[in-house]
Amino acid sequence: MNQRSSQYLALASMLVMLALYALNATGNFGPNPIGTTSTATSPLIVPAPYAFAIWGPIYIGLVVFAVFQLVKNRNDHPAWVSFRYWYAANVVANGLWLAAASYDWQWLSVGIIIFMLISLFRINQLLQVIESSGAKITYWLEHFVFSIYFAWVTLATVLNVASALKFYKWNGFGVPEVTWTIIMIVVAAFVTGYTSRRYRDAAYAGVVVWAFVALSIKHWGAQTQVLSYVGGAVAVLFVGLIFWLLSGRSAGKNNGRVEAG
């Protein structure tokens, strides 16, 4: 497949995702339209509902990207073709995840979101290859969008597994749910911290702050307030990581100017 064909593939896949989204939102799939399955199972690691508003800019970015890359005719690097393959697979999987979740097919939804996570890992790798080659990248539509999407799906994978376990009434080997939730928070923080540092991606880290502040707010003043403290501590650590990443980027730019001079 050539550059132009892959551009049309990306656009067509985005339209499939929108169609599946619309069918789910209007109740044409299972009994649980968008946003109700996590609320129904209520695992402790699910943050306050407002956190899920991040899907708004993610979906807008995915739609705009599919049009933008076609209009701009992004063809100055061969990796764009592979990028669009993975984008197409990801957005169709996104729509299928909505369908699976609406029917409470929990383990199927876990499998789908793991595939989404793998595809986003590959997408961000390809963006690095394209950007490091000197090919043009538009930050807001081709870097920021996929950074926040990658970060949110990383965290959503943890939420999805927790929801599935809660839905099927897993007893946690007798370990209290609060303890398991703290373990999941630590694992999520380690994985996202490593990824933020590896890609030197402040936008990715910013999503982690957004999610864990929302988790802290949800549990504040409740019997599970310890989760508020743990979530807040993770958020503070990631704010520090963001400043470190931004200062490192600024220093790199300054060094580049000195060497160029």
Side-chain angles (χ1 to χ4, degrees):
M1 184 175 286
N2 59 28
Q3 292 277 2
R4 200 63 173 174
S5 297
S6 68
Q7 289 167 349
Y8 285 118
L9 174 66
L11 182 64
S13 301
M14 179 271 290
L15 294 175
V16 170
M17 178 192 72
L18 288 181
L20 291 169
Y21 184 97
L23 287 169
N24 181 275
T26 53
N28 286 287
F29 284 137
N32 302 304
I34 294 166
T36 61
T37 51
S38 290
T39 303
T41 51
S42 299
L44 294 177
I45 199 169
V46 171
Y50 80 84
F52 294 90
I54 196 171
W55 277 116
I58 289 172
Y59 276 123
I60 291 170
L62 292 176
V63 171
V64 173
F65 168 78
V67 177
F68 178 82
Q69 56 89 35
L70 182 62
V71 172
K72 283 291 187 179
N73 194 24
R74 284 284 195 249
N75 60 6
D76 55 348
H77 196 286
W80 279 119
V81 175
S82 295
F83 181 98
R84 286 187 281 265
Y85 286 162
W86 283 106
Y87 167 88
N90 176 275
V91 295
V92 171
N94 190 310
L96 293 174
W97 183 91
L98 294 171
S102 73
Y103 285 106
D104 281 328
W105 295 339
Q106 294 287 332
W107 290 120
L108 177 58
S109 70
V110 168
I112 293 172
I113 204 167
I114 288 173
F115 171 77
M116 290 169 62
L117 182 61
I118 293 168
S119 64
L120 284 165
F121 174 75
R122 184 60 181 145
I123 282 170
N124 280 271
Q125 277 188 321
L126 290 166
L127 271 178
Q128 275 199 326
V129 169
I130 294 168
E131 193 170 14
S132 63
S133 74
K136 186 173 182 181
I137 293 283
T138 301
Y139 177 77
W140 291 106
L141 290 178
E142 294 165 335
H143 184 83
F144 180 80
V145 167
F146 291 101
S147 288
I148 65 170
Y149 188 21
F150 186 22
W152 186 252
V153 169
T154 304
L155 296 171
T157 301
V158 178
L159 303 187
N160 206 159
V161 171
S163 293
L165 293 172
K166 184 81 171 183
F167 183 84
Y168 292 113
K169 304 185 187 306
W170 182 59
N171 68 2
F173 303 117
V175 177
E177 186 179 1
V178 169
T179 303
W180 274 115
T181 303
I182 292 172
I183 292 170
M184 286 188 284
I185 289 172
V186 171
V187 171
F190 177 80
V191 171
T192 52
Y194 172 80
T195 306
S196 301
R197 190 175 183 277
R198 175 180 177 178
Y199 288 101
R200 304 192 66 81
D201 195 337
Y204 183 105
V207 172
V208 181
V209 174
W210 167 267
F212 280 102
V213 167
L215 180 69
S216 181
I217 289 172
K218 175 187 175 182
H219 292 285
W220 185 257
Q223 291 183 340
T224 52
Q225 187 157 322
V226 63
L227 298 179
S228 182
Y229 299 144
V230 176
V234 171
V236 169
L237 287 173
F238 271 80
V239 168
L241 177 60
I242 289 169
F243 279 108
W244 180 78
L245 291 171
L246 292 176
S247 64
R249 181 179 298 176
S250 176
K253 288 181 179 178
N254 290 335
N255 288 339
R257 281 197 292 269
V258 170
E259 290 171 4

